[in-house]
Amino acid sequence: METREIYRGRLIDHVQLVVADLAASKKFYRAVFEVIGIPIAGEADDYFWADELFISSVDSPAAAGVTTGRAHLAFQASDRATVDRFHAAAVAAGGKDNGAPGKRPYHPGYYAAFVLDPDGNNIEVVHHGQANRSSDAIKITF
């Protein structure tokens, strides 16, 4: 990495995935979110969402009638044990192993696992090692 300082919460407002089988995706992501401590914030018959991630069915008015292409999404973990639990829970919830938990060469301390969701999206959970955070999260209210 060129810098030893990274920022979160200022580039991505939200990401939408349009999926072929909303029930299968909800089962998968509910298991993943439970492990990383993020609740599903809202849902209806044709979508659900958590923080910046919005997942809808192909027939949802929020979709364009087709599934999104393959995406890579990386979620943050507070420790290595969470990465390990993510991998096991995601595979048990219908995901396909795409990289067992372990150290990665991206920078010192990078520990991650990868699982393909029911639509083939590459979902990663990563722990960046020991780091000081200025805040756990940014809270926005309206």
Side-chain angles (χ1 to χ4, degrees):
M1 286 177 49
E2 293 85 33
T3 181
R4 303 293 290 166
E5 186 175 87
I6 57 177
Y7 291 86
R8 296 291 183 251
R10 65 180 192 178
L11 177 62
I12 303 296
D13 184 80
H14 67 277
V15 172
Q16 179 182 6
L17 294 178
V18 180
V19 299
D21 184 341
L22 189 66
S25 290
K26 192 180 293 186
K27 177 183 175 186
F28 175 85
Y29 284 99
R30 190 179 302 277
V32 169
F33 294 156
E34 184 175 306
V35 169
I36 63 175
I38 303 294
I40 290 181
E43 59 186 300
D45 292 340
D46 58 342
Y47 70 85
F48 64 96
W49 64 277
D51 285 2
E52 298 87 0
L53 182 60
F54 185 87
I55 300 174
S56 62
S57 63
V58 75
D59 59 346
S60 171
V66 294
T67 59
T68 48
R70 186 171 187 242
H72 171 88
L73 302 177
F75 302 136
Q76 299 175 54
S78 58
D79 53 42
R80 288 182 175 193
T82 300
V83 173
D84 298 341
R85 288 193 313 274
F86 149 75
H87 189 265
V91 169
K96 181 180 175 188
D97 172 47
N98 199 34
K103 294 178 183 178
R104 301 295 193 264
Y106 309 131
H107 67 70
Y110 200 108
Y111 186 87
F114 303 84
V115 176
L116 299 178
D117 78 1
D119 284 86
N121 295 298
N122 187 32
I123 307 304
E124 173 185 3
V125 169
V126 57
H127 175 61
H128 287 282
Q130 292 300 106
N132 294 319
R133 291 177 174 260
S134 62
S135 174
D136 286 338
I138 296 170
K139 181 178 181 179
I140 300 170
T141 58
F142 299 96

